[in-house]
Amino acid sequence: MIYLDNAATTFPKPESVYNEVLNCMKNYGANPGRAGHKLALQAGRVIYETRENLCKLFNIRNPMNIIFTYNATDSLNLAIKGFLNSGDHVITTSMEHNSVIRPIKALEKIGVENTIVNCDKYGQLNVEDIKKAIKPNTKLIVTTHASNVCGTLIDIESIGKIAREMGITYLVDAAQTAGVYDIDVEKMNIDMLALPGHKGLLGPQGTGILYIKDGIDLRHLKEGGTGSKSEELTQPHILPDRYESGTPNTPGIAGLNEGVKFILKEGIDKIRKHEEELTEYFIKELEKIESVKIYGPKDVKKQCSVVSINILDEDSSEISYILDSVFDIATRSGLHCAPLAHKTLGTFEQGTVRFSIGYFNTKKDIDKAIQALKVIDSQIK
Amino acid sequence: MIYLDNAATTFPKPESVYNEVLNCMKNYGANPGRAGHKLALQAGRVIYETRENLCKLFNIRNPMNIIFTYNATDSLNLAIKGFLNSGDHVITTSMEHNSVIRPIKALEKIGVENTIVNCDKYGQLNVEDIKKAIKPNTKLIVTTHASNVCGTLIDIESIGKIAREMGITYLVDAAQTAGVYDIDVEKMNIDMLALPGHKGLLGPQGTGILYIKDGIDLRHLKEGGTGSKSEELTQPHILPDRYESGTPNTPGIAGLNEGVKFILKEGIDKIRKHEEELTEYFIKELEKIESVKIYGPKDVKKQCSVVSINILDEDSSEISYILDSVFDIATRSGLHCAPLAHKTLGTFEQGTVRFSIGYFNTKKDIDKAIQALKVIDSQIK
């Protein structure tokens, strides 16, 4: 199997991730922060260490500002719905995933206004359009760092600057870039950062992260046991407990810690360079195949390692099916939970066949994908 | 290490649980329900099989009525906050965990009334008191099946009967009993059932379950990508997608599946009988130690395998600390995220030392715990 669905979940993971998930379950599979016994303390220590390592990766000062969640969707819901109130206005883009668009649309019911800024047909955002959309009641800007459909990068640093100048909170969805691109919450004026643990951070599924800057007070969407202030019938105020109710996914977080450690050791530049090289090569070879339409900027300085294509007007799911069943190549077809992005790219009806490259892919994988597409091309014409 | 903190997380797990988590991560660690390739389909199949096996255990008709969540707290928040509206009244008990009490208290702000029915000093509920608390606007009854502090069982079948007669929805928190006690949602008139995957169901942490009976329409607390109806900007209506946004914890659920399969194979009666025998023996031996005060009914027909004690007026955390550091016995001290339960038992100031027995504990473990307490007893007097 050639796995080119890394935008959904990176696969495989570093061996250390598998080993630590198992080590945690077998040797310290207790509840962190609840009891004082050795196993519980070890679980708590590993979770704290994971917060520290995430801080290193994103230049976050205080490990307690890192909230562990179920997935990036969970993080985005907490950030968006915990922050906005009736009468507020939020700005986002047409390239967002449903994990951003659906919570924002749901908030319309309680009187939260939104503006969805359109990107161009390559998925590119004109940052000035964000500025133009600002109204007196704009409280939040939410953008992805890169499209999950065609990889187009958004200039989050420039948006962060605008947000700071205008006193607006900025939430970044880094689902497609965390662990691969340099993200510095201080330098980029990112107030909240939503991350999946199981994509570029190389951790297991069932792990999400939300960084919340000091001074931002979100409504907690859940209440429950936190292991702290147990005597109180209301949710405690301290971070991260305020937003972390119930038993966390300790083995998952322990695995995520190893993923982050792998990235810190390998170096984010090396990881990105490898993905860029493969992406560049893939796009170059794709361009040689007559029936292939490529979406997005076709420039690795303007996009991450997510490439969407179609073959003539063939149904994208049919092509994905052939790639899987005949060539043993895993891709994803359809709308990728981002309908507005497909409207932006002009692919709402057809969907796209998405190839997403990970750090463990090789040039040989790309060659096989190209070879398969050439065979399909030759038979379809 | 003698692990007697199974009420927090069961430890260890069956070997098959470890093996399947690893197998999933290494061999089909893709996104279920998102793409059509082999790995994604296998992930989806395992998740569906887990729903089916949970159905067998709890006599649930339709696997699609099983919602996977992050933990039981997540399930309880969805059930309670997704169900109740301003003007509604909810009844619960004084033995509940903060995962029930805190969401209910949080709902006071939007005008949801509550009645917390007091249990007696053994944690026992008089079911008639639930009946007496019913008002014309009572929409929901929420009770635990067994106290997480002292194990006291609540007669959920009788409450289910009352709830059905009165047309009130009944939500059961089976955090301490699922996988050990027979729970039949049909026979017991349970409309919603909240479960942790990592306790009696023997799965990994990061897994929770909510069963929602057909016809109950909860507000979704989160929106996002569901892999279904991707073209829509609003959350789809179909179950389980409506309540399952974002990538699930596939390895965790795959492990949970093995936990549930282990229970189905072993037989719930055998599991309960083993835990009952050890609990009965433990209580009998505890009663011989002069300085030990035991809380709860001290009767295995009236309690699950959770036993809370104190030694004279010693601080519970001090005793737990000695048990861990001197005797290598893991227990949990303090309030166990259930302050009202401790008020009910009269242990709000002191907390309790909680011993919770799991299926993998042996008589030898209990003997060692008793021996340790005898040493503490002899030195403390």
Side-chain angles (χ1 to χ4, degrees):
Chain A
M1 158 74 74
I2 293 168
Y3 186 81
L4 289 166
D5 194 16
N6 291 283
T9 293
T10 52
F11 177 81
K13 312 290 182 188
E15 274 296 314
S16 57
V17 173
Y18 303 135
N19 294 340
E20 194 57 32
V21 170
L22 202 63
N23 182 38
C24 171
M25 287 193 299
K26 284 194 167 180
N27 298 313
Y28 59 95
N31 276 53
R34 263 67 182 177
H37 59 74
K38 285 183 281 290
L39 263 60
L41 293 177
Q42 193 178 347
R45 263 195 303 274
V46 170
I47 289 186
Y48 190 78
E49 192 186 301
T50 313
R51 296 189 210 275
E52 286 182 319
N53 283 321
L54 286 163
C55 282
K56 284 181 203 161
L57 204 53
F58 300 106
N59 190 27
I60 291 165
R61 284 179 203 156
N62 186 352
M64 305 314 256
N65 289 23
I66 301 248
I67 312 301
F68 286 117
T69 66
Y70 189 44
N71 49 33
T73 303
D74 202 14
S75 302
L76 287 163
N77 272 268
L78 173 57
I80 293 169
K81 300 170 88 174
F83 185 81
L84 291 165
N85 294 300
S86 177
D88 290 348
H89 174 244
V90 52
I91 298 169
T92 191
T93 85
S94 70
M95 293 307 286
E96 303 305 314
H97 190 273
N98 270 340
S99 54
V100 166
I101 297 289
R102 283 179 173 171
I104 285 176
K105 294 304 274 183
L107 284 175
E108 287 179 355
K109 282 180 211 153
I110 64 151
V112 176
E113 292 178 82
N114 62 68
T115 300
I116 300 172
V117 173
N118 279 321
C119 298
D120 70 15
K121 64 177 177 175
Y122 305 104
Q124 297 176 130
L125 176 75
N126 182 347
V127 171
E128 285 302 305
D129 290 343
I130 294 280
K131 209 168 181 172
K132 283 180 201 155
I134 294 173
K135 305 204 291 181
N137 61 337
T138 304
K139 292 286 160 58
L140 183 68
I141 298 168
V142 191
T143 78
T144 186
H145 188 192
S147 161
N148 74 307
V149 175
C150 59
T152 312
L153 286 159
I154 280 183
D155 179 3
I156 55 173
E157 192 164 355
S158 294
I159 300 173
K161 204 178 264 180
I162 293 169
R164 175 177 282 185
E165 280 167 12
M166 304 298 286
I168 296 165
T169 299
Y170 185 32
L171 163 63
V172 173
D173 169 10
Q176 295 306 328
T177 55
V180 181
Y181 285 76
D182 191 32
I183 298 172
D184 180 323
V185 299
E186 292 295 330
K187 193 178 132 204
M188 294 173 165
N189 297 318
I190 296 167
D191 299 303
M192 294 192 280
L193 181 66
L195 309 163
H198 66 284
K199 299 188 180 182
L201 295 178
L202 304 175
Q205 292 176 358
T207 55
I209 299 121
L210 180 65
Y211 157 70
I212 307 172
K213 191 182 179 174
D214 271 331
I216 295 179
D217 198 22
L218 302 178
R219 245 186 321 274
H220 36 86
L221 303 186
K222 293 188 287 192
E223 298 83 31
T226 52
S228 58
K229 305 246 175 205
S230 278
E231 70 284 4
E232 291 177 10
L233 301 187
T234 52
Q235 195 71 352
H237 261 273
I238 49 163
L239 291 186
D241 305 31
R242 179 169 168 77
Y243 308 113
E244 288 183 358
S245 290
T247 304
N249 178 4
T250 314
I253 294 170
L256 172 61
N257 191 29
E258 292 305 316
V260 174
K261 278 158 72 178
F262 177 90
I263 295 163
L264 289 168
K265 198 175 158 199
E266 204 78 356
I268 213 160
D269 288 340
K270 185 180 167 195
I271 292 170
R272 188 179 56 259
K273 200 161 165 256
H274 178 71
E275 293 194 9
E276 279 180 353
E277 277 170 11
L278 293 187
T279 305
E280 189 160 39
Y281 175 64
F282 184 49
I283 292 172
K284 201 186 77 193
E285 293 301 308
L286 280 174
E287 285 178 324
K288 297 176 186 166
I289 308 173
E290 203 185 341
S291 63
V292 167
K293 294 183 282 186
I294 314 169
Y295 304 96
K298 292 177 250 179
D299 175 347
V300 288
K301 294 301 162 196
K302 293 181 180 170
Q303 75 178 90
C304 70
S305 60
V306 175
V307 181
S308 256
I309 69 157
N310 272 313
I311 296 198
L312 300 176
D313 294 323
E314 295 296 320
D315 186 66
S316 63
S317 60
E318 183 63 24
I319 300 297
S320 258
Y321 176 74
I322 294 168
L323 284 168
D324 177 52
S325 57
V326 180
F327 301 98
D328 212 18
I329 295 172
T331 61
R332 187 176 164 193
S333 64
L335 295 184
H336 316 95
C337 298
L340 296 184
H342 282 277
K343 285 195 173 160
T344 306
L345 302 174
T347 50
F348 187 68
E349 301 303 328
Q350 194 177 4
T352 58
V353 184
R354 183 182 74 179
F355 296 77
S356 48
I357 297 164
Y359 186 56
F360 296 113
N361 282 122
T362 60
K363 185 164 174 292
K364 210 170 151 189
D365 293 341
I366 305 301
D367 282 333
K368 284 191 181 160
I370 290 293
Q371 193 49 44
L373 289 168
K374 281 180 178 167
V375 173
I376 297 172
D377 170 79
S378 70
Q379 296 193 342
I380 227 152
K381 284 189 291 196
Chain B
M1 157 72 75
I2 294 168
Y3 186 81
L4 289 166
D5 194 17
N6 291 284
T9 293
T10 51
F11 178 81
K13 311 290 182 189
E15 275 295 315
S16 57
V17 173
Y18 304 135
N19 294 341
E20 195 56 32
V21 170
L22 202 63
N23 183 38
C24 171
M25 287 194 299
K26 284 193 167 179
N27 298 315
Y28 58 95
N31 276 53
R34 263 68 183 176
H37 59 74
K38 284 183 280 291
L39 263 59
L41 293 177
Q42 193 177 347
R45 264 195 303 273
V46 170
I47 288 185
Y48 189 78
E49 192 186 301
T50 312
R51 294 189 211 276
E52 285 181 318
N53 283 321
L54 285 163
C55 283
K56 285 182 202 160
L57 203 53
F58 300 107
N59 191 26
I60 291 165
R61 284 178 204 158
N62 185 353
M64 304 313 255
N65 290 22
I66 302 249
I67 312 301
F68 287 117
T69 66
Y70 189 44
N71 50 32
T73 302
D74 202 14
S75 302
L76 287 163
N77 272 269
L78 172 57
I80 294 169
K81 300 170 87 174
F83 185 80
L84 290 164
N85 294 302
S86 179
D88 290 348
H89 175 243
V90 52
I91 298 170
T92 191
T93 85
S94 69
M95 292 308 286
E96 304 305 314
H97 190 272
N98 270 341
S99 53
V100 167
I101 297 288
R102 282 180 174 172
I104 285 177
K105 294 303 274 183
L107 285 175
E108 287 180 356
K109 281 181 210 151
I110 64 151
V112 175
E113 291 178 84
N114 62 69
T115 300
I116 300 172
V117 173
N118 278 321
C119 298
D120 71 14
K121 64 177 176 174
Y122 305 104
Q124 295 176 132
L125 177 74
N126 182 347
V127 171
E128 285 302 306
D129 290 344
I130 294 278
K131 211 167 181 174
K132 284 180 202 156
I134 294 172
K135 306 204 292 181
N137 60 338
T138 304
K139 293 285 160 61
L140 184 68
I141 297 169
V142 191
T143 78
T144 188
H145 189 193
S147 161
N148 74 307
V149 176
C150 59
T152 312
L153 286 159
I154 280 184
D155 179 5
I156 55 173
E157 193 164 354
S158 295
I159 299 173
K161 204 177 265 180
I162 293 169
R164 177 177 281 184
E165 280 167 14
M166 304 296 288
I168 297 166
T169 299
Y170 185 32
L171 163 62
V172 173
D173 169 10
Q176 296 306 327
T177 54
V180 181
Y181 286 76
D182 191 33
I183 298 172
D184 180 323
V185 299
E186 292 295 330
K187 194 178 132 205
M188 294 175 166
N189 298 317
I190 296 168
D191 300 302
M192 295 192 278
L193 182 65
L195 308 163
H198 66 285
K199 299 187 179 183
L201 296 178
L202 304 175
Q205 293 176 357
T207 56
I209 299 121
L210 181 65
Y211 158 71
I212 306 171
K213 192 183 178 173
D214 270 332
I216 295 179
D217 197 21
L218 302 178
R219 244 187 320 275
H220 37 85
L221 304 186
K222 292 188 288 191
E223 298 84 29
T226 52
S228 58
K229 305 249 175 200
S230 279
E231 70 284 5
E232 292 177 9
L233 302 186
T234 52
Q235 196 70 353
H237 262 273
I238 49 162
L239 290 187
D241 304 32
R242 179 169 168 78
Y243 307 112
E244 289 183 356
S245 291
T247 304
N249 178 5
T250 315
I253 293 169
L256 171 61
N257 191 29
E258 292 304 315
V260 174
K261 279 159 73 179
F262 177 90
I263 294 163
L264 289 168
K265 197 176 160 198
E266 204 78 356
I268 212 159
D269 289 339
K270 184 180 167 195
I271 292 171
R272 189 179 55 258
K273 200 161 164 254
H274 177 71
E275 292 194 8
E276 279 180 352
E277 276 169 10
L278 293 186
T279 306
E280 189 160 40
Y281 176 63
F282 184 48
I283 291 171
K284 202 187 76 192
E285 293 300 310
L286 280 174
E287 285 178 324
K288 296 177 187 166
I289 308 173
E290 202 185 340
S291 63
V292 167
K293 293 183 280 188
I294 314 169
Y295 304 96
K298 292 177 250 180
D299 176 347
V300 289
K301 294 300 161 196
K302 295 181 179 170
Q303 75 178 91
C304 70
S305 62
V306 176
V307 181
S308 256
I309 68 156
N310 271 314
I311 296 199
L312 300 176
D313 295 323
E314 295 296 319
D315 186 66
S316 64
S317 61
E318 183 63 23
I319 301 297
S320 258
Y321 176 74
I322 294 168
L323 284 168
D324 177 52
S325 56
V326 180
F327 301 97
D328 211 20
I329 295 172
T331 61
R332 186 177 164 192
S333 63
L335 296 183
H336 315 94
C337 298
L340 296 184
H342 282 277
K343 284 193 173 160
T344 306
L345 302 173
T347 50
F348 187 68
E349 301 301 329
Q350 195 178 3
T352 57
V353 183
R354 183 183 74 179
F355 297 77
S356 48
I357 296 164
Y359 186 56
F360 295 113
N361 282 122
T362 61
K363 185 163 172 291
K364 210 170 151 191
D365 293 341
I366 305 300
D367 282 333
K368 283 192 182 161
I370 290 293
Q371 193 48 43
L373 289 168
K374 280 182 179 166
V375 173
I376 297 172
D377 170 79
S378 69
Q379 296 194 342
I380 228 154
K381 284 189 291 198

